Amino acid sequence: MRTPLVIGNWKMHGLQADARALASAVREGFKRKVAVTIAVCPPFTALPAVAEVLAGSVIALGAQNCHPEPSGAHTGEISVPMLAELGCRYVLVGHSERRKEMGETDEQINRKVQAVLTHGLTPVLCVGETGDERRQGLTFTTIEGQLRAGLAGLGPEAVGKLVFAYEPVWAIGTGVNATPGQAAEVHGYLRGILSELSSKETAQATSILYGGSVKADNAESLLTEPEIDGALIGGASLKAPEFIAIVKKAVAAPAAAREGSR
Ligand code: 13P
C-alpha cells in the first residue's frame, strides 16, 4: 500500500507574514497524524518562517527548485544543502513552469534529481504534456522522454527513492483538470516504465501524484482512482480550508474507493 501524499506548491505567492499565517492555519487543521503525508513548498524566502511554524507538526517542508551544485559561483541560486539545513524533505524538480519560463532542460533536471538524492532529500520529478502534444497524440512520447531523461544514470535503487508528479500543462491553473481516467492512464504508463528501470515491486511502492486544477470538489474522484497516489496542488493550496479539505479527501480515499468498487 502506498501512503497518499498531498503537497501544496505555493509557487511565487506570499510574503513572510502571509506564509506564516497560511502555514499556521494548515497546521491547525492537522493537530494529529493522519494516514496521509502532507507537505508544503513555500517560496525560498518564506522557508525559514514556515519551518519555524511547522516545527514539531505532522506537515513536512519542501522547496520548489534547487541548483545541482552544492555551492559555488552561481549567483541567485539555492543549493540542496541550504534547503536541507532549513529542514526541507522534498524538492520539486522539473516543474513545467520552470521548463517553460526558465528553459530548464531534461539534462539540468536530471542533475538536480541526482543532487537532491545525494543530499538525502526526496525529489518530486514533474512531467507532463502540453495541450498541443496531447492533441497530436504525443502524450506518452512526451512524458516517457521526460521521465527517462530525468532519471538518466540512476540505478534501480535510486529510482525507488523518488516521488513523481504527472502535471499536464493544459490542466495547470486552468480550472480544467485531467479526468481520473486520463490521469490513471498516464500514471499506469509511468509505473510501467519505472518497473522496467527498477523492479515491479519498487514501481508498485512508488508514489505518483496528479497535479493540475485539483480542488476540494474534484479531489475525491481523482484520489479514489487506485493509480493516483496523491496530489500536487497549486492555487487551491493557498487557501488553508481548501487545502485541508483536499487532504481530508485523501485520508478518506481508500475507504471511498472500496465503497465505490462494491
Ligand atoms: P494548480 O493546482 O493551480 O492548477 O497548479 C498545479 C501545479 O502546478 C502544482 O505544481
Side-chain angles (χ1 to χ4, degrees):
M1 273 299 282
R2 302 180 287 264
T3 303
L5 169 61
V6 177
I7 304 179
N9 173 10
W10 296 358
K11 306 193 180 183
M12 198 174 72
H13 292 286
L15 303 181
Q16 294 196 55
D18 309 312
R20 256 181 208 285
L22 179 54
S24 304
V26 174
R27 183 182 174 143
E28 277 303 297
F30 299 101
K31 292 197 177 130
R32 271 190 237 109
K33 206 166 160 31
V34 288
V36 168
T37 307
I38 311 166
V40 294
C41 301
F44 287 137
T45 49
L47 280 171
V50 173
E52 199 180 294
V53 171
L54 296 182
S57 78
V58 300
I59 300 147
L61 193 62
Q64 300 174 18
N65 180 38
C66 66
H67 190 276
E69 296 297 326
S71 64
H74 304 288
T75 303
E77 292 294 319
I78 307 280
S79 74
V80 183
M82 293 170 182
L83 299 173
E85 185 185 35
L86 294 175
C88 288
R89 186 165 139 202
Y90 299 95
V91 184
L92 307 184
V93 181
H95 192 282
S96 65
E97 284 153 14
R98 297 201 57 83
R99 291 180 192 261
K100 181 160 176 270
E101 289 183 26
M102 314 294 158
E104 265 189 26
T105 64
D106 281 323
E107 196 264 330
Q108 287 169 326
I109 290 163
N110 174 245
R111 288 179 60 217
K112 293 183 184 197
V113 165
Q114 303 209 25
V116 176
L117 289 173
T118 298
H119 297 284
L121 277 64
T122 301
V124 180
L125 177 59
C126 306
V127 300
E129 82 287 2
T130 62
D132 273 348
E133 286 163 340
R134 180 163 277 266
R135 279 185 289 278
Q136 289 166 32
L138 295 173
T139 299
F140 295 105
T141 316
T142 303
I143 54 145
E144 176 162 3
Q146 291 172 341
L147 185 70
R148 288 189 188 275
L151 297 177
L154 265 62
E157 202 187 318
V159 170
K161 293 191 171 146
L162 278 85
V163 166
F164 298 88
Y166 168 52
E167 296 206 306
V169 178
W170 49 271
I172 296 178
T174 59
V176 181
N177 59 286
T179 64
Q182 283 174 323
E185 191 184 25
V186 172
H187 286 216
Y189 190 75
L190 291 172
R191 211 179 295 284
I193 301 166
L194 293 175
S195 174
E196 187 197 304
L197 295 175
S198 54
S199 67
K200 190 157 185 278
E201 294 68 35
T202 302
Q204 283 306 321
T206 298
S207 290
I208 307 178
L209 315 182
Y210 166 76
S213 296
V214 178
K215 306 269 183 289
D217 62 11
N218 62 16
E220 181 172 333
S221 64
L222 288 159
L223 294 168
T224 48
E225 169 56 54
E227 270 297 340
I228 302 180
D229 306 316
L232 181 53
I233 302 159
S237 72
L238 296 172
K239 296 175 222 126
E242 178 98 9
F243 183 67
I244 291 166
I246 295 170
V247 175
K248 289 190 172 159
K249 300 277 184 197
V251 174
R258 278 197 301 277
E259 254 335 273
S261 64
R262 260 185 216 150

